[in-house]
């Protein structure tokens, strides 16, 4: 399977714990995006990378959130001191840099904070 | 006001019916996407268009740039079409609508 993959698919954690999600993009894609989707809503942009550089962060990304893409391939999204409001689906997508704006989405990681 | 508005929010249909989902946006865009999301979360890109009309099987997408409006049509709907359909526009990054939940009953 050469699509975008995300791990884990589901994560249940207690409030105050730290969690980390991983996204593996399509191998030739330079851009990697993170989105958050709450129930009944469309996805919301969190951040994106061009290769290893984090080019933009949404104001939704509080200081408890950090994303990395150290080698320009896979990316991690860490949430520290989780809160119940962090419960959501976290989606990753990747795309080529130029020309097309088409993004390919992973299956998402569903986070539940108890 | 959201930059991307979809209607209706929920839609039920009998198998075989013609379906239309509408999307209006308020920002300048370079492209508009129609996405399909099944229960469980996975999102699949259906169409990316910047003008005119595209067709893929029973799905047709149209866009009117001047009116900032797009429609997604499903002909001869089938229960497997049941999903959330999301419109997303690309000014400099994807901005998503809240989705239209479609249920097609046999």
């Amino acid at each position: 399977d050469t699509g975008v993959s995300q791990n884990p698919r589901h994560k249940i954690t207690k409030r105050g714990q730290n969690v980390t999600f991983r996204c593996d993009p399509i191998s030739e894609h330079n851009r990697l995006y993170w989105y958050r989707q709450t129930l009944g809503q469309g996805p919301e942009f969190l951040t994106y990378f061009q290769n290893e550089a984090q080019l933009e962060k949404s104001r939704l990304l509080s200081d408890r959130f950090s994303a990395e893409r150290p080698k320009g391939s896979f990316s991690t999204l860490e949430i520290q001191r989780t809160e119940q409001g962090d419960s959501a689906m976290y989606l990753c997508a990747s795309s080529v840099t130029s020309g097309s704006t088409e993004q390919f989405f992973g299956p998402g990681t569903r986070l539940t904070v108890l | 006001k959201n930059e991307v508005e979809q209607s209706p929010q929920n839609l039920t249909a009998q198998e075989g019916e013609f379906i239309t989902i509408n999307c209006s946006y308020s920002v300048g865009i370079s492209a508009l996407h129609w996405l399909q999301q099944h229960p469980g979360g996975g999102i699949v890109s259906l169409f990316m268009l910047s003008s005119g009309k595209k067709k893929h099987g029973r799905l047709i997408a149209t866009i009117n740039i001047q009116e900032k409006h797009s429609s997604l049509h499903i002909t001869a709907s089938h229960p497997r079409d049941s999903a959330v359909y999301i419109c997303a526009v690309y000014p400099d990054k994807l901005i998503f609508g809240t989705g239209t939940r479609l249920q097609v009953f046999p």
Side-chain angles (χ1 to χ4, degrees):
Chain A
D1 188 344
T2 57
V4 179
S5 63
Q6 291 187 246
N7 288 289
R9 295 291 307 276
H10 304 272
K11 179 71 178 177
I12 300 174
T13 191
K14 292 182 179 179
R15 189 177 54 186
Q17 298 294 305
N18 299 344
V19 294
T20 300
F21 311 140
R22 175 175 170 133
C23 171
D24 287 87
I26 293 171
S27 59
E28 61 268 26
H29 285 185
N30 302 106
R31 288 196 173 177
L32 186 148
Y33 305 81
W34 284 101
Y35 299 95
R36 181 173 69 187
Q37 185 179 26
T38 53
L39 204 59
Q41 300 298 314
E44 295 174 294
F45 171 79
L46 291 179
T47 188
Y48 89 95
F49 293 83
Q50 169 103 0
N51 299 313
E52 65 274 10
Q54 189 173 17
L55 295 188
E56 187 173 350
K57 294 196 297 185
S58 162
R59 58 181 172 78
L60 294 175
L61 214 64
S62 77
D63 57 6
R64 295 185 298 105
F65 288 69
S66 62
E68 294 183 343
R69 195 183 182 197
K71 298 180 181 178
S73 56
F74 74 91
S75 175
T76 58
L77 177 67
E78 181 183 15
I79 309 175
Q80 296 182 323
R81 304 181 304 282
T82 52
E83 302 173 355
Q84 287 184 322
D86 298 331
S87 296
M89 175 75 82
Y90 290 84
L91 293 161
C92 174
S94 69
S95 72
V96 296
T97 303
S98 60
S100 172
T101 64
E102 186 174 17
Q103 297 181 17
F104 295 81
F105 286 82
T109 295
R110 183 171 296 282
L111 172 66
T112 302
V113 181
L114 302 176
Chain B
K1 188 179 187 303
N2 292 337
E3 292 166 301
V4 182
E5 298 273 0
Q6 286 185 237
S7 63
Q9 287 188 319
N10 294 284
L11 185 56
T12 57
Q14 288 295 123
E15 184 173 357
E17 285 186 7
F18 181 83
I19 305 288
T20 296
I21 300 171
N22 295 300
C23 175
S24 296
Y25 54 93
S26 58
V27 295
I29 68 170
S30 59
L32 181 145
H33 300 251
W34 281 103
L35 309 165
Q36 182 190 56
Q37 186 172 33
H38 280 283
I43 290 178
V44 174
S45 178
L46 299 174
F47 294 102
M48 183 178 66
L49 63 166
S50 54
S51 65
K53 176 180 175 179
K54 286 190 176 181
K55 184 176 190 292
H56 185 253
R58 295 180 294 105
L59 302 179
I60 303 167
T62 64
I63 187 169
N64 184 317
I65 295 291
Q66 287 73 31
E67 294 186 2
K68 295 187 174 178
H69 181 269
S70 175
S71 294
L72 176 68
H73 306 284
I74 306 175
T75 61
S77 59
H78 189 276
R80 65 175 174 266
D81 297 326
S82 299
V84 175
Y85 292 84
I86 302 173
C87 170
V89 300
Y90 193 89
D92 56 353
K93 57 180 176 288
L94 280 181
I95 303 172
F96 298 81
T98 54
T100 294
R101 183 175 300 276
L102 171 65
Q103 289 184 293
V104 182
F105 294 100

